[in-house]
Amino acid sequence: MPDPSRELLHGTLEPLILKCVALTPRHGYAIARWLEDATGDVLQIEDGSLYPALYRMEERGWIAAEWGTSDLGRKAKLYRITPAGRRRLTAVVAEWARFASAISKVLLSV
Amino acid sequence: MDFRTRFPLRLWRPTVDEEVDSELDFHLEMRTRELMRGGLTEPEARRAALVRFGDVRRARRACRAIGRQREQRMRSTQYFSELRQDAAFAIRQMLAAPAFTSIAVATLALGIGATTAIFSAVNAVVLRPLPVPEPDRLVVVNEVWRDMDRGAVSAGNFVDMMADQAVFDAAAALTPVSMTLARDEGAERIIGVKATGDFFRTYRVNAALGRVFGQQDDAPGRDQVVVLSHKFWTRQFGADRGVLGRQITLDARPYTIIGVMPPSFDFTSDAEDVWVPIAFTPERKAMHDEHFLNVVARLKDGTSPQQAQQQLDRIASDLRTRFPKDDADRGFAVSPMMQSFVGDYARRLIILMGAVGFVLLIACGNVSNLLLARGAARARELAVRSALGAGQGRLVRQLFTESLVLGAVSAAAGVALAWMCIGVLIARAPQGVPRLDQARIDGTALGFAVGLAVVCSIVFGLVPAWRASRTDINTTLKESIRGAGSRGARDIVRSMLIGAEVALALVLLVGAGLLIRSAIETARVSPGFDPRGVYSARFSLPQTKYATPEAVLHAAEAIHDGVANVPGVRRAAVASNVPGVGTFSNGLVPEGEAPVTENVRQSMARFVSPGYFEAMGIPILKGRDFTPADRAGAPLVMIVNQSLARRLWPNQDPVGRRVMGSAPESDNPAATAKVVIGVVPDLHFDGPAAPTDLEFYQPLAQLDETAWGWTRRTLFIVARTTADPSSLGPAVRRVISSVDPAVPLFSERTMEQRMAATLETARFNTMLLVVLGIVGLLLSGVGIYGVVAYFASQRTAEIGIRMALGASRGTVLKLVVAQAARPVVLGIAAGAICAAFSSQVLASQLVNVRPTDPVTFAAVAAVLLVVALCAALVPARRAAGLSPTHALQSGE
């Protein structure tokens, strides 16, 4: 079982995925790996929860998928960000910044 | 055109489930490989990957659910966007081919417009229920007598029938009457109905203002109440709500206005103005032999017309026993009101509906052919699209959308056309077609037009779409390079369409041709009198003022003498009837035969003044005319027509013989026997298209009170003039008002107008059918032209080769024409067989022409052949005029 303290903070998975595919189109496994690397294993995501999130985001139109060829020459589903997804990302980042600064102010003040 | 956006490439498109599985498998495999690179063995790595993943099944279920939902939403969005694309594409296609579009739309609009116009008429006259509660419960009751099944009912029979029956909720006897309305200046004729007390209860209609009359008003002494129609109320009183309680004078009797009916209680265009109680006297209620009443009845709930008929049959048999003299051979007939109300018009309109339906089918055939030709031209485009991944279903759907768009545009144009046609139809239609003036483009007609457009689109879109769906990509792509379609099958379809169009046109033209022949035959029929230069009009002498025969006769003679002295009048006369208007009959028995039913010759009675025959131009064939000496008190005389003379005394001289029956009557018929003093020819009394009758004439001066009752004291004044008969009106009016200013003059017509009016309906029907026949002929001509032109263009290369090898122009002409000849000839043959059956529906409208008249059939077939030949020759001549080099080049 993953350490509870390292569990993903509620609601942060989707912004992270958006950030990830905003850089370059990736398939699901690559996204999982990027999340591990980028958060330096601080956040550990259960792989199984990644995919429903991806499908949900695709349905909402933030990301789009098409079938392409992976590094290994196998067919894989590649996700890329859509314009709507970019707008969402900007909004979420701004929100996070406000939230983080507010919480920091409280928690870090002596 | 961007094919990619319309038909996106789908090289590999898995289902949602496959997609999810494959994505998750890929993930697990990648993770396993990574762990193996970290030093684990494969089974360990796989297990670790699964642990890391969590609940695979839950993830899979969640993904699949979201995926499916998304798939469904996309499919419906795609469907609608494709539909929109198809429609937009169809419109672009139509705009890109304006010639094709305008011909197709015009053809279809013509068909849809004509059909919708006729449908609106059928809907207004036949289909719409009567505007009363539960109209299907309403029936009419007639008396049947020998072969007459639409006879009027006598007051005695009505009263006795009502006393015995238990099948009707309510019933009423009524008789339409022409009444004189006294006004401040002069008098006016209005149409009234005298009815028994339950008249309004039978219809279950109440007054819009005031009350209707009921049983309590329907008795002598209490009957001077009147209910006004909405139309009359508006016309005469400017819709004044204060009319209740006021009095009007009808036939010199004061009546109190008690109610005004709603506008919907107005079934026909020439409906009645007022309703008054009929108020039978006890003597009238006992009278069984004067048949003048119409009977309407409302069936009890759960009683069928058949059950009512059974009960009335039983009552009729009782009546025959109780009144063996008056009710011998008599019975009752119950028929649904709607049926008797629209009667013959329903039949005529439905024939018309069939005819326009044929025109519509021909129009569909033409558009189908046009679409086929375009389909051939577009075979390559469709094949390319198919090769790029568009499914067959998708292509068929696109072609159907194009048909539907075409149908929708045509329906819009057709409704506009129908709107105009209805105006013409109402204006030109003969008088008296019930409710025709209410025909309009309403929701029902609009729905009909739209439905028609959809059905037509499917009909004419079906063949081309079916052809397109069967197109084999490879063949088409290859063949389109060579410039030839898969010819055989398509040519058969085209030929069949042409054959069917020709057959339909022939059926239409045979109908039109038969009616034209009938009209020619009718024009040849001599009416038996000379209608040229004869003026006629009616006047009515109120019974209250002119009660005795002497008084009526005195006024009639004064009017006659006055008119006879008008300058330009050569001969004037007064008569109870003139050809074309009204009639009553009497039973005659020759002296020497027993006065029993079997010996009675039912004959048409005409009561006339001396000089009538001269004024009407009827020659006296034998004997003499009436003279002023044939008066009351002098020996009773009669003039018979040839048919009656033959029927009464075959091969014998009728002059001087005596006949019993008609007025004046007495208990001893021999005492009132009349001497035949002359013979006149048979008249076509109801117009040249109607059969002749047994007729007899009696002098007005010898009529008794009963016979004056039959005439309702309404007489015709006729005058043969040297001047224009239609200019006589003012002079006659002056004469009438000098005799009695309260007597109205009405129904002024020349006798030529009266005769023409009897043919009005026939002429109108003929005109419509001829117009439809010509439209059908032209449309099928255009269809033949189109197909022959197509055949010729398909064979350009072949023609070039033939000409290069020495074929003459004549040979080429024959070659091209012959290809079209076969379907045309087959179509004519098939059409002739159909027409032989279908023309039977016209049988009742034909005079001296059989429905299978070979002359008409031959003439129509010849006309069709000539038109077909002309339509084929134009493109054939063009083909034969090609230079071989040009033909061969274009054929490459």
Side-chain angles (χ1 to χ4, degrees):
Chain A
M1 278 298 285
D3 178 347
S5 68
R6 283 169 33 174
E7 262 188 31
L8 189 60
L9 272 162
H10 181 73
T12 50
L13 178 58
E14 287 180 358
L16 286 171
I17 293 173
L18 280 176
K19 183 83 187 172
C20 167
V21 295
L23 305 171
T24 175
R26 287 175 221 259
H27 49 70
Y29 180 69
I31 294 171
R33 291 285 301 126
W34 182 87
L35 289 173
E36 288 159 22
D37 291 347
T39 60
D41 277 345
V42 173
L43 296 175
Q44 196 170 357
I45 306 157
E46 198 178 61
D47 289 357
S49 62
L50 174 64
Y51 285 92
L54 283 171
Y55 274 74
R56 221 167 15 245
M57 289 166 73
E58 191 185 357
E59 168 69 15
R60 285 182 190 161
W62 295 337
I63 56 175
E66 63 190 52
W67 286 86
T69 313
S70 76
D71 328 335
L72 296 166
R74 285 188 48 168
K75 283 205 183 90
K77 202 174 166 195
L78 287 174
Y79 295 93
R80 61 183 165 75
I81 195 161
T82 63
R86 261 185 219 290
R87 280 195 299 278
R88 169 82 184 162
L89 181 59
T90 318
V92 172
V93 167
E95 179 78 4
W96 177 261
R98 271 213 335 271
F99 174 74
S101 80
I103 299 295
S104 304
K105 239 185 254 166
V106 176
L107 295 184
L108 302 181
S109 64
V110 186
Chain B
M1 227 229 61
D2 187 359
F3 283 105
R4 247 197 2 212
T5 52
R6 288 177 46 69
F7 303 105
L9 292 178
R10 293 178 201 158
L11 296 178
W12 184 64
R13 185 83 172 132
T15 66
V16 174
D17 290 5
E18 283 168 0
E19 202 174 345
V20 172
D21 289 353
S22 135
E23 193 174 11
L24 299 188
D25 285 352
F26 176 76
H27 180 101
L28 289 172
E29 194 181 329
M30 293 299 282
R31 181 70 77 190
T32 309
R33 285 192 192 186
E34 190 206 331
L35 293 171
M36 279 167 71
R37 274 201 299 279
L40 295 178
T41 62
E42 192 178 339
E44 286 168 344
R46 187 163 293 278
R47 223 173 8 256
L50 281 171
V51 167
R52 179 95 196 238
F53 196 90
D55 191 339
V56 179
R57 274 197 317 208
R58 207 178 64 191
R60 182 176 290 150
R61 257 203 318 277
C63 289
R64 280 181 178 181
I66 299 170
R68 279 199 203 112
Q69 201 183 335
R70 175 181 156 74
E71 183 94 333
Q72 216 153 43
R73 191 174 51 82
M74 278 175 68
R75 213 177 283 146
S76 72
T77 336
Q78 191 189 5
Y79 179 82
F80 283 110
S81 94
E82 279 177 1
L83 200 66
R84 217 174 35 241
Q85 282 170 1
D86 282 351
F89 184 65
I91 290 167
R92 275 206 304 278
Q93 287 263 342
M94 284 171 66
L95 292 178
F100 161 82
T101 306
S102 40
I103 293 175
V105 167
T107 307
L108 270 180
L110 201 65
I112 293 177
T115 315
T116 306
I118 299 295
F119 172 80
S120 328
V122 172
N123 185 39
V125 177
V126 184
L127 299 181
R128 240 159 11 110
L130 296 173
V132 299
E134 298 181 58
D136 52 318
R137 308 299 303 158
L138 289 174
V139 294
V140 296
V141 179
N142 287 105
E143 277 189 15
V144 289
W145 183 77
R146 300 198 183 165
D147 54 353
M148 205 168 64
D149 61 348
R150 281 285 166 91
V153 180
S154 69
N157 284 345
F158 172 72
V159 170
D160 292 344
M161 183 262 284
M162 287 310 290
D164 255 6
Q165 64 82 22
V167 284
F168 301 135
D169 258 349
L174 58 129
T175 180
V177 286
S178 173
M179 300 175 114
T180 305
L181 169 72
R183 290 196 313 191
D184 298 342
E185 67 295 347
E188 191 193 343
R189 289 303 284 183
I190 61 168
I191 306 163
V193 159
K194 289 189 171 182
T196 54
D198 273 348
F199 178 76
F200 294 102
R201 208 165 73 79
T202 305
Y203 281 113
R204 281 195 198 156
V205 175
N206 237 312
L209 189 66
R211 65 173 183 98
V212 294
F213 63 74
Q215 288 290 10
Q216 74 281 2
D217 304 295
D218 185 25
R222 289 201 298 268
D223 61 325
Q224 274 162 289
V225 292
V226 59
V227 176
L228 311 184
S229 79
H230 189 270
K231 214 168 53 184
F232 180 75
W233 177 55
T234 314
R235 192 180 71 215
Q236 205 72 34
F237 296 101
D240 175 7
R241 298 182 71 86
V243 291
L244 296 183
R246 274 203 236 164
Q247 288 204 330
I248 55 173
T249 306
L250 297 172
D251 288 344
R253 265 182 106 205
Y255 282 84
T256 306
I257 298 171
I258 57 166
V260 177
M261 295 306 288
S264 62
F265 193 67
D266 190 9
F267 302 157
T268 62
S269 52
D270 51 355
E272 48 266 27
D273 297 309
V274 298
W275 294 270
V276 296
I278 200 164
F280 291 138
T281 57
E283 300 81 59
R284 173 62 81 183
K285 285 185 183 170
M287 218 180 270
H288 287 80
D289 69 336
E290 253 183 69
H291 312 275
F292 68 104
L293 295 167
N294 303 328
V295 174
V296 296
R298 183 176 284 277
L299 293 171
K300 279 191 176 148
D301 280 343
T303 307
S304 70
Q306 291 73 27
Q307 286 166 316
Q309 179 69 55
Q310 279 164 14
Q311 186 166 102
L312 293 200
D313 283 344
R314 188 185 56 64
I315 296 173
S317 108
D318 285 355
L319 287 172
R320 282 194 294 271
T321 333
R322 284 166 59 195
F323 307 98
K325 180 164 170 284
D326 290 333
D327 282 336
D329 298 337
R330 287 201 176 261
F332 294 112
V334 178
S335 49
M337 171 134 193
M338 193 64 188
Q339 188 185 316
S340 95
F341 176 61
V342 296
D344 205 27
Y345 299 111
R347 195 180 157 77
R348 285 169 194 271
L349 279 171
I350 282 162
I351 291 173
L352 217 52
M353 194 79 204
V356 287
F358 279 19
V359 171
L360 185 64
L361 277 178
I362 295 176
C364 283
N366 270 2
V367 175
S368 206
N369 250 330
L370 280 172
L371 283 177
L372 260 185
R374 263 171 70 76
R378 288 172 61 190
R380 184 151 186 216
E381 172 207 326
L382 295 176
V384 168
R385 247 188 240 170
S386 179
L388 289 174
Q392 299 283 295
R394 184 74 186 75
L395 286 183
V396 168
R397 213 172 76 204
Q398 186 211 329
L399 289 177
F400 260 125
T401 312
E402 287 179 20
S403 301
L404 277 175
V405 169
L406 191 63
V409 174
S410 308
V415 166
L417 191 68
W419 186 73
M420 289 188 288
C421 286
I422 291 173
V424 176
L425 204 67
I426 295 175
R428 300 290 300 273
Q431 289 294 304
V433 181
R435 308 197 286 179
L436 180 63
D437 57 327
Q438 298 168 23
R440 66 177 67 86
I441 302 277
D442 55 6
T444 321
L446 214 57
F448 177 81
V450 169
L452 211 57
V454 170
V455 170
C456 289
S457 308
I458 291 171
V459 168
F460 64 63
L462 200 63
V463 177
W466 174 73
R467 296 252 7 125
S469 74
R470 284 173 31 113
T471 308
D472 177 55
I473 302 172
N474 278 326
T475 343
T476 310
L477 284 178
K478 269 188 257 162
E479 282 191 348
S480 67
I481 295 165
R482 284 210 313 269
S486 53
R487 207 187 275 166
R490 195 172 289 152
D491 285 359
I492 288 171
V493 172
R494 276 163 206 285
S495 297
M496 275 165 53
L497 279 171
I498 284 301
E501 284 187 29
V502 167
L504 290 168
L506 186 111
V507 172
L508 276 178
L509 285 172
V510 162
L514 286 171
L515 289 181
I516 290 174
R517 278 269 289 166
S518 170
I520 294 170
E521 289 296 319
T522 308
R524 278 205 203 130
V525 172
S526 157
F529 70 102
D530 182 6
R532 286 167 301 174
V534 179
Y535 165 90
S536 70
R538 307 181 80 169
F539 60 92
S540 202
L541 302 166
Q543 189 178 1
T544 40
K545 192 165 168 190
Y546 301 91
T548 63
E550 293 74 31
V552 195
L553 195 62
H554 184 76
E557 282 177 348
I559 289 168
H560 167 270
D561 294 346
V563 172
N565 286 327
V566 169
V569 172
R570 271 173 36 203
R571 199 76 168 94
V574 178
S576 62
N577 307 89
V578 295
V581 195
T583 195
F584 37 86
S585 69
N586 269 122
L588 299 184
V589 179
E591 198 178 45
E593 287 183 21
V596 292
T597 315
E598 300 82 70
N599 293 334
V600 165
R601 277 74 160 178
Q602 202 67 25
S603 312
M604 298 300 163
R606 332 273 187 219
F607 306 133
V608 304
S609 73
Y612 173 78
F613 298 107
E614 206 184 320
M616 297 299 279
I618 303 170
I620 308 278
L621 299 175
K622 226 177 236 170
R624 64 168 176 94
D625 190 1
F626 301 127
T627 68
D630 298 315
R631 300 198 71 86
L636 299 172
V637 293
M638 173 182 281
I639 290 175
V640 297
N641 75 348
Q642 285 177 298
S643 292
L644 181 59
R646 261 197 304 275
R647 181 69 70 85
L648 289 170
W649 304 282
N651 303 316
Q652 298 170 51
D653 186 358
V655 176
R657 290 185 179 267
R658 289 155 64 87
V659 65
M660 297 176 293
S662 187
E665 276 180 319
S666 73
D667 292 338
N668 172 15
T672 54
K674 289 99 196 160
V675 182
V676 174
I677 56 162
V679 179
V680 291
D682 293 352
L683 296 195
H684 284 275
F685 200 81
D686 295 318
T692 59
D693 273 313
L694 306 179
E695 298 172 288
F696 66 93
Y697 300 82
Q698 284 182 268
L700 286 169
Q702 293 185 336
L703 297 188
D704 64 356
E705 179 131 19
T706 318
W708 279 115
W710 297 339
T711 67
R712 296 174 197 273
R713 288 170 170 72
T714 299
L715 297 170
F716 284 88
I717 171 82
V718 296
R720 177 168 292 277
T721 63
T722 48
D724 175 11
S726 56
S727 65
L728 208 60
V732 174
R733 228 173 271 278
R734 277 195 297 277
V735 170
I736 300 258
S737 66
S738 75
V739 172
D740 183 347
V743 169
L745 185 75
F746 59 102
S747 179
E748 283 184 272
R749 309 261 194 291
T750 68
M751 284 311 295
E752 281 185 302
Q753 286 170 337
R754 286 196 200 281
M755 284 295 99
T758 65
L759 297 176
E760 204 182 356
T761 309
R763 198 168 293 154
F764 179 67
N765 273 358
T766 309
M767 182 194 85
L768 279 179
L769 216 53
V770 167
V771 167
L772 292 176
I774 289 172
V775 171
L777 183 68
L778 288 180
L779 284 180
S780 38
V782 170
I784 293 168
Y785 168 86
V787 168
V788 173
Y790 171 80
F791 283 161
S793 74
Q794 291 291 294
R795 296 176 73 172
T796 309
E798 182 197 333
I799 291 168
I801 293 168
R802 281 172 188 269
M803 289 178 85
L805 292 175
S808 69
R809 275 185 54 123
T811 322
V812 174
L813 267 182
K814 235 184 276 172
L815 182 80
V816 177
V817 171
Q819 198 173 6
R822 211 162 56 140
V824 169
V825 170
L826 284 176
I828 287 178
I833 293 168
C834 296
F837 289 103
S838 67
S839 61
Q840 300 296 333
V841 301
L842 291 174
S844 65
Q845 300 179 39
L846 298 178
V847 176
N848 297 346
V849 182
R850 275 181 302 133
T852 51
D853 179 44
V855 178
T856 306
F857 275 67
V860 164
V863 166
L864 258 176
L865 267 181
V866 169
V867 168
L869 192 67
C870 292
L873 267 180
V874 178
R877 279 171 63 90
R878 200 184 306 137
L882 291 174
S883 79
T885 352
H886 180 80
L888 282 170
Q889 274 168 354
S890 72
E892 291 278 303

